Amino acid sequence: MKNHSLDAPSVKILAALQQNSRLSTAELAEAVGLSATPCWRRQKELEDHGYITRYAALVDRRKVGLMVCCLAHVSLNRHSAGVVEAFESAMQARAEVVECYETTGNSDYTIKVIVPDMEAYQNFLHEVMFKLQGVSQINTNVALREVKYQTALPL
């Protein structure tokens, strides 16, 4: 399997697993129109070649008390290797940072932070972000409501 050269059955397998990764091999095979053994082999190849990186359960954040979603746009005042590495390592280490992107535009990074309340976000800013060397500015957008949240990629 080469990147971007997936055949139709492999794309169907990926699409089906994005909707429900708990499908049994038999259920998956039926959904994509293959017999069980070839379907299992293709799924294994997709895993081995890195198309499928992991399987996960999607948790309703509100039901576990994580009520606030913030998108923080972070600018660095220096882009030296040490500053960038320290910032990215700090983002990797923080559980409340669920996504982090290096971006173009007015900021260097956009991070998605999920916390129980605004006090927790304020604590995150003061205890983590404001203490990071090289962070010059943080502009935050707070999500008022979720219009669309989807994890499946458009294949």
Side-chain angles (χ1 to χ4, degrees), residues 87-130:
F87 175 81
E88 291 181 2
S89 292
M91 296 305 98
Q92 291 284 350
R94 299 302 303 197
E96 63 268 78
V97 176
V98 296
E99 296 179 46
C100 177
Y101 301 96
E102 185 176 17
T103 59
T104 62
N106 294 331
S107 61
D108 298 308
Y109 291 88
T110 297
I111 61 173
K112 183 176 181 181
V113 182
I114 305 291
V115 289
D117 52 37
M118 287 308 294
E119 182 178 351
Y121 184 66
Q122 180 184 16
N123 289 339
F124 169 74
L125 288 176
H126 288 278
E127 298 302 317
V128 178
M129 298 302 290
F130 295 158

Side-chain angles (χ1 to χ4, degrees), residues 75-84 102 108-109:
S75 298
L76 303 180
N77 58 16
R78 293 189 310 271
H79 292 94
S80 62
V83 169
V84 169
E102 185 176 17
D108 298 308
Y109 291 88

Side-chain angles (χ1 to χ4, degrees), residues 20-32:
N20 182 1
S21 67
R22 294 185 66 177
L23 290 173
S24 68
T25 300
E27 292 169 327
L28 181 59
E30 184 178 333
V32 302

